[in-house]
Amino acid sequence: MERFFNAKSVAVIGVSSSPTNLGRAIVFNLMEFQYQGLIYLVGPKGGAFAGHRIHQSVAELPEVVDLAAVLVPARAVPEVIRQCGEKGIRRVVVESAGFRELGDDRAELEREIQEALVRYGIRMIGPNCIGIINRRTGLAVPFMPMRAEAPPGRVSIFSQSGGVGATMINHCAAEGIGFSKFASIGNKLDVNECDLLAYYQDDPQTAVIFGYLEGIADGRRLMETAARSTKPIVVHKSNRGGAGAVIARSHSASLATDDAVTDAAFRQCGILRVADQNEGLTAIKGFLLPKMRGRRLAVISRSGGHAVMAADAADEFGFELPPFPDELVKMAESHARAGVIQFHNPMDLGDVFDLELYEKLAQQTLARADIDGVLFIHNYQGIFDAEGSRQLVKSLGRLMQESGKPIAVCVFTMQKELELNRKSAGYPIFTDPRDAVRALAWNRDFSRTPRPVFATETPVGIDREGAERLFSSCGDGLVPPDILASALACYGIATVPWAVASQEDEAAACALRLGYPVAMKTAALHVVHKSDVGAVALNLADDAAVRDAYRRLSGFGPQVLVQKMADPGMEWIVGGRRDANFGPVVLVGLGGIYVEVFKETAMGIGPLDRIQAERLVEQCRGAAVLRGARGRAPLDEGALLETIVRLSWFLYDFPQIAELDMNPVRVHARGCMALDWRAVMHQA
Amino acid sequence: MERFFNAKSVAVIGVSSSPTNLGRAIVFNLMEFQYQGLIYLVGPKGGAFAGHRIHQSVAELPEVVDLAAVLVPARAVPEVIRQCGEKGIRRVVVESAGFRELGDDRAELEREIQEALVRYGIRMIGPNCIGIINRRTGLAVPFMPMRAEAPPGRVSIFSQSGGVGATMINHCAAEGIGFSKFASIGNKLDVNECDLLAYYQDDPQTAVIFGYLEGIADGRRLMETAARSTKPIVVHKSNRGGAGAVIARSHSASLATDDAVTDAAFRQCGILRVADQNEGLTAIKGFLLPKMRGRRLAVISRSGGHAVMAADAADEFGFELPPFPDELVKMAESHARAGVIQFHNPMDLGDVFDLELYEKLAQQTLARADIDGVLFIHNYQGIFDAEGSRQLVKSLGRLMQESGKPIAVCVFTMQKELELNRKSAGYPIFTDPRDAVRALAWNRDFSRTPRPVFATETPVGIDREGAERLFSSCGDGLVPPDILASALACYGIATVPWAVASQEDEAAACALRLGYPVAMKTAALHVVHKSDVGAVALNLADDAAVRDAYRRLSGFGPQVLVQKMADPGMEWIVGGRRDANFGPVVLVGLGGIYVEVFKETAMGIGPLDRIQAERLVEQCRGAAVLRGARGRAPLDEGALLETIVRLSWFLYDFPQIAELDMNPVRVHARGCMALDWRAVMHQA
């Protein structure tokens, strides 16, 4: 990646002297951003632009450039890449559109490109993108003319959409926070978000990473890369399925991912997922502040109403508001004009007009050991107190640097004043207390410590070969329940005691062996909703009942599953499926009818360890019942967690399992067991 | 109110020639906003300011002014009001702080003020506020200097906090939408939010009403006033309890209301409650557009990525995206430059550079009968296409007016360009597709048809006198279960068949009469958690079991309630309590253990009609089970609704009932009945 972003020379391929030529905009941007390297132009018609000769072919270039920015018709791209390869150019950005996003018949073009990349050892960004910008070297190759507005900043951006990426640059400029590096990655035929993520993580000029994605190239690599990061990663993943899927397909050739799986995967690997650009910006601003190391927040506000909002938000986002110490309260009181306001935390300074005191209060508050961060709300109309207010805002930045603690600063004033502050403050400014507190909460909650995202230690006592042998006879489709139960047993996952009977006498014998009462159900694979069609018999208490049930159930087929009736307990569902992007997805939730009504489920990407399993259970509100809500005896959560962990390995080890459900898994005071199980196999 | 906002002459009371005098800022604002009436100044030290004589007392004023703006120390306010009264002034705005918000010992001052108001028939806004502004007449009496920025707009604002109110004015100015009228109402000693709400509703210069509240003066009047409105009402109610409550008390003397009750009340009367200022602004902007009359949305976007976000948001907020008709697609295609983009809804115009075509597409889309509104996303950097883009944005406003359908316009560009558009567009501009779609959804969902907010028809067969007689013997505290059940029966609310027994033989006789099996529990009022202490016996199948249970239960006291065991069914909770702000609050939710774990409850302010009761049930996810989820037989929802309606009247008729719970109410295939009931009485 370094060779893309720090290219010392660039060839813009696809320039002509026509005024509507888009390649010229690339040259414009290199000028506007004051590119420090050499620029060469290529276009079949020759001529000149911006004082540079337009070479008629890549071969004619006087030197081997570090980077080629290609904007020629889609059909010409493979040949241009081959020419670059012959010339010795090893980095290209292809901005041309007209590939897979127009339909699968264009896939052939992409294959040609890939062949050329491999043959010449070229790395490519694109196609169907607007290219990259390095704000510090001035390397800026988008084909839409842009302005180099705010000074270089500390957030680096990757975006699957050029338009959205450019908008984020505008937003960051308007906020006065600028950006460091930018990459529009389009169809991601070669370089994808994982490459950028890894590069930005190591880039000393990047403090925060923001990404906009419409599809995910390699879910597991993305998770592993993100989990290694010591820098906050904020991703706006759109294309949630439904209406968005159609347009995303034709915009950046992205297939929809299961949106709930994406949520779960991002949570697991520590990516903060935001729902829109505003949230994205709030998150970036929050992460640009020093790390908030605890929950103890001091609020200082010139406006009482905003102090009330801040207190509401502190509650909402889990902050504590320790009282101000007496000496600070006294200091504020001694400067109060009319003595008409009381001082708490939040401290309402509406009656104090001395802006230097504001600064002193902030400084002394930051110095306190019992405060982890400050929300400072300043409200001025800019008529009397403009200069002093701007000075105050600047000073808060200095205090923040000195103390190493975050100050989220809200400024309420006229638009023009706000912009002046944004230009001069040197840190992000908020305009809504709730937004500021949310940003602090994200800052606080995001761990910057790398950790493994998937479990590494296989649980003890797993007989993988045993399960493999059992599955070896299975084709695609539903797995026979006895085979599945045996395979689960190889992984130490308990099912209720069961047996298969093919005759009435055998059924009776099984029941006797298992112990009454028993349940029976057809083992015929074609019967899907067994209860609905009467293919289940429960609570059979004696031999006669079992024989009677067998005769009825054998109407569905001779094989019948006989199960011991399990003791009462709490019902959960533990299941999962194979996701095309992320691999084995484990689903945990309340079982029985509640799984459908309340949808209290949580997902994780396997293999999971026990702590991760516990987090999934905690995400379901039913966890309270498990732990003994309302004075009930607690149930065996540990057994449930063990089942989740083992199932995650089961799904990981057998990618041919497309879906698997254990519903319900009944959790008792000691142990838990699946009462019903079902899996569909699909060999890749 | 009219006499406040259209005052033809104003006396500013509390002006001096000291440079730190705040009264001078009031005069400054009257100048800045170009007040069209006469200005008089009053201050004990006399002198002159801004060319006006400072009269030394109210009595000296040369005429009876329409309005007095008072900013004198709190202790002097009552006397100033009396002087105004003597002079014949009938409208005052008291901006001074230092009343109840400092503590209850200042309440005496407020009482004095109220006496003076009554004696002279004066209406007052404040105290502890920054006063009012009429943007069109220039009447502007805040004591903080402000700028008259954007031209007059169509939103009118009331705010309990002056600072927050001023901020909303700044926000509206920055958005280019301005405002019409503004009132800061502070401690609301006389005029409160209901007065303003009623006035703004009738004010022809107001199209949208925005309020910021920290407390609620008269909940039921607020609900009734809001429900009569044909204009959208947006309220940011802060002070949600917890940390906010302390600071709100000392900021605007506001007591916290139960936040969930406020939510329910606002929903019931059609107030849109927003969580922060950003949401408030989004809502105002959405309501300033023409009414969205259906769910059919067309999205036209210059940026594919934003089109994807728009499609996601359309799903999220319940819009349909009908396909564009062939002729429009062909029109777009014929102007596409590289032919590299397909046209759907959202329509991605990234490849079309003809801005006049954009306008034509918007116009023809609005003309379609199958489209209720448009989201138009324009993305430009302002280097080549600034003039054309601004023209386009302006034209969209014209199209909106002509068609009477809303266009939510998102503009992505540099900050400077954005501001130029905001100044010239004449309608609100968005900067995030999701925000814009949310605004359209609020616009669509808000009914502008007045409707009764409380039920008006008493259900048939209510014996109010009967219940009154029963309660006449009850003091404060828990109501004996037999009296409560009988009183509920007077309102047609079914309880499971029951009887009270005071002796073993009597218990046995009751059980026989009710029919086995029965349940028994102590009727002793002091036993609160009956199950936990063993004061309940269930499933008593015969005489011996009943006698045995009686002997055990009589340990808690001789009186025992005998109840028939009810058939199985679904358990709900129906209850309620008296709220200080809103009166009878009815609570409906899933019963049993789930009420605590899932908190699936909904609240309404009584009395409720059947449709309102149904809405409460629908808010609980358990409603699906009630209606027969997963092939189960549906239960008697009608009986549950009838119980809710009748309970709401019960609570309405008996304000002495502080809390009442029927938990569970068991719903059967036919009918429903309370199995347990409990009420606490508190005579006012």
Side-chain angles (χ1 to χ4, degrees):
Chain A
M1 285 303 107
E2 188 66 14
R3 291 172 63 187
F4 278 103
F5 283 96
N6 283 316
K8 301 274 182 290
S9 53
V10 182
V12 182
I13 302 177
V15 182
S16 82
S17 41
S18 150
T20 61
N21 171 262
L22 289 176
R24 297 161 65 126
I26 300 179
V27 184
F28 170 91
N29 281 328
L30 287 164
M31 309 286 191
E32 165 74 16
F33 284 77
Q34 303 181 0
Y35 177 48
Q36 296 160 9
L38 294 170
I39 304 173
Y40 297 96
L41 311 185
V42 179
K45 292 184 190 150
F49 178 66
H52 292 275
R53 176 189 305 282
I54 303 176
H55 300 278
Q56 286 185 285
S57 75
V58 176
E60 281 178 25
L61 286 171
E63 71 161 308
V64 179
V65 292
D66 286 349
L67 179 69
V70 180
L71 189 54
V72 300
R75 304 209 175 277
V77 169
E79 179 52 27
V80 166
I81 291 180
R82 283 189 289 265
Q83 289 169 7
C84 288
E86 290 296 330
K87 183 76 186 178
I89 300 170
R90 293 294 172 260
R91 293 291 179 274
V92 297
V93 170
V94 177
E95 307 187 22
S96 320
F99 296 88
R100 249 182 320 161
E101 74 275 14
L102 280 195
D104 286 332
D105 53 324
R106 300 286 185 109
E108 177 52 28
L109 267 181
E110 296 196 351
R111 270 192 296 277
E112 266 194 76
I113 292 176
Q114 272 171 319
E115 272 173 30
L117 297 181
V118 171
R119 185 173 345 140
Y120 296 102
I122 298 176
R123 295 302 308 266
M124 177 186 76
I125 290 178
N128 189 20
C129 72
I130 65 165
I132 61 174
I133 305 176
N134 181 342
R135 190 67 182 77
R136 282 182 180 78
T137 66
L139 177 78
V141 298
F143 64 81
M144 55 207 284
M146 299 173 78
R147 287 260 181 247
E149 285 194 288
R154 295 186 296 134
V155 57
S156 288
I157 297 167
F158 61 85
S159 174
Q160 202 166 349
S161 157
V164 172
T167 301
M168 278 311 289
I169 290 180
N170 291 337
H171 280 318
C172 288
E175 293 277 350
I177 57 177
F179 71 100
S180 175
K181 299 192 169 59
F182 169 85
S184 151
I185 52 179
N187 288 13
K188 309 192 286 194
L189 199 54
D190 179 23
V191 168
N192 66 27
E193 62 269 26
C194 300
D195 301 302
L196 270 310
L197 204 52
Y199 173 60
Y200 288 161
Q201 278 173 30
D202 293 334
D203 174 33
Q205 290 161 348
T206 299
V208 180
I209 301 167
F210 176 84
Y212 170 76
L213 290 175
E214 294 178 0
I216 288 170
D218 180 345
R220 293 185 78 85
R221 194 181 144 213
L222 180 70
M223 290 177 74
E224 280 164 340
T225 312
R228 273 197 300 271
S229 179
T230 56
K231 298 174 185 172
I233 303 167
V234 181
V235 174
H236 178 188
K237 162 77 175 64
S238 73
N239 183 13
R240 290 176 177 267
V246 180
I247 175 83
R249 175 90 182 81
S250 76
H251 173 237
S252 59
S254 294
L255 297 175
T257 51
D258 183 319
D259 203 58
V261 174
T262 305
D263 262 349
F266 281 17
R267 189 181 301 121
Q268 189 168 331
C269 69
I271 291 175
L272 174 63
R273 183 177 188 184
V274 290
D276 56 34
Q277 295 178 93
N278 290 336
E279 279 191 17
L281 215 56
T282 297
I284 291 170
K285 287 159 69 180
F287 287 129
L288 286 172
L289 303 176
K291 171 83 180 160
M292 179 104 189
R293 302 195 180 277
R295 311 196 155 267
R296 298 162 306 173
L297 180 69
V299 180
I300 302 174
S301 173
R302 196 184 204 177
S303 145
H306 293 117
V308 176
M309 292 179 199
D312 280 353
D315 278 344
E316 182 179 357
F317 296 106
F319 286 102
E320 294 154 23
L321 298 169
F324 281 91
D326 281 350
E327 67 269 24
L328 280 190
V329 170
K330 286 211 182 88
M331 189 163 91
E333 273 171 357
S334 69
H335 288 74
R337 196 134 139 193
V340 294
I341 294 179
Q342 290 177 329
F343 297 99
H344 317 272
N345 183 11
M347 184 178 273
D348 174 358
L349 294 180
D351 190 23
V352 176
F353 289 71
D354 176 352
L355 296 185
E356 279 171 29
L357 179 75
Y358 284 36
E359 186 184 335
K360 213 184 286 177
L361 281 170
Q363 183 173 23
Q364 299 201 10
T365 302
L366 283 170
R368 285 163 53 197
D370 68 340
I371 287 296
D372 301 304
V374 170
L375 171 64
F376 195 101
I377 301 170
H378 189 52
N379 189 330
Y380 72 104
Q381 288 296 318
I383 292 167
F384 291 158
D385 38 13
E387 189 49 40
S389 292
R390 279 180 237 146
Q391 278 306 329
L392 171 65
V393 170
K394 248 187 271 184
S395 314
L396 293 174
R398 192 174 34 75
L399 295 181
M400 182 147 39
Q401 283 201 317
E402 285 167 12
S403 68
K405 294 179 184 175
I407 317 181
V409 179
C410 276
V411 179
F412 294 106
T413 182
M414 290 183 297
Q415 182 68 25
K416 204 191 286 176
E417 276 294 313
L418 188 60
E419 277 165 40
L420 289 173
N421 278 304
R422 281 187 166 141
K423 280 213 175 77
S424 63
Y427 61 87
I429 287 177
F430 295 88
T431 54
D432 183 291
R434 183 162 172 250
D435 217 36
V437 175
R438 180 193 281 128
L440 284 178
W442 279 332
N443 174 315
R444 172 196 70 197
D445 294 341
F446 182 86
S447 157
R448 300 178 195 186
T449 315
R451 49 179 174 161
V453 65
F454 299 119
T456 46
E457 256 180 77
T458 323
V460 293
I462 281 186
D463 175 13
R464 182 171 172 171
E465 287 73 24
E468 258 164 20
R469 272 193 304 279
L470 284 160
F471 284 144
S472 63
S473 64
C474 295
D476 279 3
L478 274 169
V479 182
D482 48 338
I483 292 184
L484 181 57
S486 303
L488 289 169
C490 291
Y491 273 68
I493 299 170
T495 52
V496 67
W498 60 273
V500 173
S502 308
Q503 285 183 329
E504 186 181 316
D505 287 344
E506 197 185 350
C510 290
L512 193 65
R513 197 174 67 244
L514 293 166
Y516 292 107
V518 298
M520 287 167 64
K521 54 191 164 195
T522 179
L525 292 180
H526 65 275
V527 185
V528 182
H529 298 291
K530 297 190 185 69
S531 305
D532 297 355
V533 298
V536 177
L538 298 176
N539 268 318
L540 307 170
D542 54 30
D543 186 79
V546 166
R547 288 176 180 278
D548 190 50
Y550 182 83
R551 284 192 294 273
R552 200 156 43 76
L553 293 174
S554 61
F556 297 100
Q559 286 219 324
V560 166
L561 205 64
V562 185
Q563 296 181 187
K564 193 167 164 53
M565 284 299 294
D567 292 332
M570 187 181 181
E571 299 201 337
W572 283 70
I573 177 172
V574 180
R577 63 195 147 79
R578 195 90 205 148
D579 181 86
N581 283 284
F582 294 100
V585 177
V586 176
L587 181 136
V588 176
L590 290 201
I593 194 167
Y594 294 99
V595 70
E596 307 216 348
V597 175
F598 292 111
K599 304 207 169 59
E600 281 296 325
T601 56
M603 287 193 273
I605 316 298
L608 301 170
D609 63 26
R610 213 165 144 117
I611 292 168
Q612 290 173 321
E614 197 170 0
R615 269 194 219 118
L616 296 190
V617 168
E618 275 165 2
Q619 280 174 47
C620 305
R621 282 186 293 177
V625 180
L626 199 61
R627 289 166 187 186
R630 289 196 68 188
R632 296 181 175 216
L635 300 170
D636 193 345
E637 186 180 353
L640 179 62
L641 299 181
E642 197 60 33
T643 299
I644 295 167
V645 167
R646 286 170 181 272
L647 188 84
S648 79
W649 282 96
F650 190 74
L651 293 170
Y652 180 71
D653 288 344
F654 297 100
Q656 65 266 47
I657 297 178
E659 336 168 358
L660 191 157
D661 273 327
M662 300 192 292
N663 183 15
V665 170
R666 196 170 278 176
V667 186
H668 298 115
R670 289 201 59 175
C672 71
M673 52 175 65
L675 304 193
D676 200 15
W677 48 90
R678 185 187 158 277
V680 175
M681 205 163 263
H682 180 77
Q683 318 278 348
Chain B
M1 286 303 105
E2 187 67 13
R3 289 172 65 187
F4 278 104
F5 284 95
N6 284 316
K8 301 273 181 293
S9 52
V10 182
V12 183
I13 302 177
V15 182
S16 82
S17 41
S18 152
T20 60
N21 170 262
L22 289 176
R24 295 161 65 125
I26 301 179
V27 183
F28 170 91
N29 281 328
L30 287 164
M31 308 284 191
E32 165 74 17
F33 284 78
Q34 303 182 359
Y35 178 49
Q36 296 160 12
L38 294 170
I39 304 173
Y40 297 97
L41 311 186
V42 178
K45 292 182 191 152
F49 178 66
H52 292 276
R53 173 190 306 282
I54 303 177
H55 300 279
Q56 286 187 285
S57 76
V58 175
E60 280 179 25
L61 286 173
E63 69 161 309
V64 180
V65 293
D66 286 348
L67 179 69
V70 180
L71 190 54
V72 300
R75 303 209 177 276
V77 170
E79 179 54 25
V80 166
I81 290 180
R82 282 189 289 265
Q83 288 170 5
C84 288
E86 290 295 331
K87 182 76 183 177
I89 298 170
R90 293 294 172 260
R91 293 291 180 275
V92 297
V93 170
V94 177
E95 307 187 19
S96 320
F99 294 89
R100 250 181 319 159
E101 74 276 13
L102 279 196
D104 286 332
D105 53 322
R106 301 285 183 109
E108 177 53 28
L109 268 181
E110 295 197 350
R111 268 191 299 274
E112 266 192 76
I113 291 175
Q114 272 173 319
E115 271 172 32
L117 297 181
V118 171
R119 186 175 343 141
Y120 297 102
I122 296 176
R123 295 302 310 268
M124 177 185 76
I125 291 177
N128 190 20
C129 71
I130 64 165
I132 61 174
I133 305 178
N134 181 343
R135 190 67 182 78
R136 282 183 179 77
T137 67
L139 177 79
V141 298
F143 65 81
M144 55 205 284
M146 300 173 78
R147 287 261 180 244
E149 285 195 287
R154 294 186 296 136
V155 58
S156 288
I157 298 168
F158 61 86
S159 175
Q160 201 165 349
S161 156
V164 172
T167 300
M168 278 310 290
I169 290 179
N170 291 336
H171 280 319
C172 288
E175 292 278 352
I177 57 176
F179 71 100
S180 175
K181 298 191 170 60
F182 169 84
S184 151
I185 52 179
N187 287 12
K188 308 191 288 194
L189 199 56
D190 178 23
V191 168
N192 66 27
E193 61 270 25
C194 299
D195 301 302
L196 269 310
L197 203 52
Y199 174 61
Y200 289 161
Q201 279 174 31
D202 292 335
D203 174 32
Q205 290 161 348
T206 299
V208 179
I209 301 167
F210 175 83
Y212 170 76
L213 290 175
E214 295 178 0
I216 288 171
D218 178 345
R220 294 184 77 84
R221 194 181 144 212
L222 180 71
M223 289 177 74
E224 281 164 340
T225 312
R228 273 197 299 271
S229 180
T230 55
K231 297 174 185 171
I233 303 167
V234 181
V235 174
H236 179 190
K237 161 76 177 63
S238 73
N239 182 14
R240 290 177 177 268
V246 181
I247 174 83
R249 175 91 182 79
S250 76
H251 174 237
S252 58
S254 294
L255 297 175
T257 52
D258 182 319
D259 203 57
V261 174
T262 305
D263 262 350
F266 281 17
R267 189 182 299 122
Q268 187 168 332
C269 69
I271 292 175
L272 174 65
R273 184 178 187 181
V274 290
D276 56 33
Q277 296 178 96
N278 289 337
E279 279 191 18
L281 215 55
T282 297
I284 292 170
K285 286 159 69 181
F287 287 129
L288 286 173
L289 302 176
K291 171 82 180 158
M292 178 103 189
R293 301 195 179 278
R295 311 197 155 267
R296 298 163 307 174
L297 179 70
V299 180
I300 301 175
S301 173
R302 196 183 203 176
S303 146
H306 293 118
V308 176
M309 293 179 199
D312 280 353
D315 279 343
E316 183 180 356
F317 295 106
F319 286 103
E320 296 154 20
L321 298 169
F324 281 91
D326 282 350
E327 66 269 23
L328 279 190
V329 170
K330 286 210 181 92
M331 190 162 91
E333 273 171 358
S334 69
H335 288 73
R337 196 132 139 193
V340 294
I341 294 180
Q342 288 176 329
F343 297 99
H344 316 272
N345 181 12
M347 185 178 272
D348 174 357
L349 295 181
D351 190 25
V352 176
F353 290 71
D354 176 352
L355 296 186
E356 279 171 30
L357 179 76
Y358 284 35
E359 185 185 334
K360 213 184 285 176
L361 281 170
Q363 181 174 23
Q364 298 199 10
T365 302
L366 283 170
R368 285 162 54 196
D370 67 339
I371 287 297
D372 302 305
V374 170
L375 171 63
F376 195 102
I377 301 170
H378 189 53
N379 189 330
Y380 72 104
Q381 288 295 322
I383 293 166
F384 291 158
D385 37 13
E387 189 49 39
S389 291
R390 280 181 238 144
Q391 277 306 328
L392 171 65
V393 169
K394 247 186 272 186
S395 312
L396 293 174
R398 194 174 33 76
L399 294 181
M400 182 146 39
Q401 283 201 316
E402 285 167 9
S403 68
K405 294 179 184 175
I407 316 181
V409 178
C410 275
V411 178
F412 294 107
T413 184
M414 291 182 296
Q415 184 67 24
K416 203 191 290 176
E417 276 294 312
L418 189 60
E419 277 164 42
L420 289 173
N421 277 303
R422 281 186 166 141
K423 280 215 176 77
S424 63
Y427 61 87
I429 286 176
F430 295 89
T431 55
D432 184 289
R434 183 160 172 253
D435 217 37
V437 175
R438 180 193 280 128
L440 283 178
W442 279 331
N443 173 315
R444 173 196 69 197
D445 294 341
F446 181 86
S447 157
R448 300 179 197 185
T449 314
R451 51 181 175 161
V453 65
F454 299 120
T456 46
E457 257 180 75
T458 323
V460 293
I462 282 185
D463 175 14
R464 181 171 173 171
E465 287 74 25
E468 257 164 21
R469 271 193 305 277
L470 285 160
F471 284 144
S472 63
S473 64
C474 296
D476 278 3
L478 274 169
V479 182
D482 48 339
I483 291 184
L484 181 58
S486 302
L488 289 169
C490 292
Y491 273 69
I493 298 169
T495 51
V496 67
W498 59 272
V500 173
S502 308
Q503 288 185 327
E504 188 182 315
D505 287 346
E506 198 185 349
C510 289
L512 195 64
R513 196 175 68 243
L514 292 167
Y516 292 107
V518 297
M520 285 167 65
K521 55 191 163 194
T522 179
L525 291 181
H526 66 274
V527 186
V528 182
H529 297 292
K530 296 189 185 72
S531 306
D532 296 356
V533 298
V536 177
L538 298 175
N539 268 317
L540 306 171
D542 54 32
D543 186 78
V546 166
R547 288 176 182 277
D548 189 51
Y550 182 83
R551 284 192 295 273
R552 196 156 46 76
L553 293 175
S554 60
F556 298 99
Q559 286 218 325
V560 166
L561 204 64
V562 186
Q563 297 181 187
K564 194 169 164 49
M565 285 297 294
D567 293 333
M570 185 181 183
E571 299 201 336
W572 283 69
I573 177 173
V574 181
R577 65 196 147 80
R578 195 89 204 150
D579 182 85
N581 283 285
F582 293 101
V585 177
V586 176
L587 182 137
V588 176
L590 291 201
I593 194 167
Y594 293 99
V595 72
E596 307 214 349
V597 175
F598 292 110
K599 303 204 170 60
E600 281 295 325
T601 55
M603 287 193 270
I605 317 298
L608 301 170
D609 61 26
R610 212 164 145 120
I611 292 168
Q612 290 172 322
E614 197 169 1
R615 268 192 219 120
L616 296 190
V617 169
E618 276 165 2
Q619 280 174 47
C620 304
R621 282 186 294 177
V625 180
L626 199 61
R627 289 168 186 182
R630 289 195 68 187
R632 296 183 174 215
L635 300 170
D636 194 344
E637 186 180 354
L640 178 62
L641 300 182
E642 196 61 30
T643 299
I644 295 167
V645 167
R646 285 169 182 273
L647 187 84
S648 78
W649 282 96
F650 189 74
L651 293 170
Y652 179 71
D653 288 344
F654 297 101
Q656 65 265 49
I657 297 178
E659 335 168 0
L660 191 155
D661 273 328
M662 300 193 291
N663 183 16
V665 169
R666 196 169 277 175
V667 186
H668 298 115
R670 289 200 62 174
C672 72
M673 52 176 67
L675 303 194
D676 200 14
W677 49 89
R678 183 185 159 277
V680 175
M681 207 163 261
H682 181 76
Q683 318 277 348

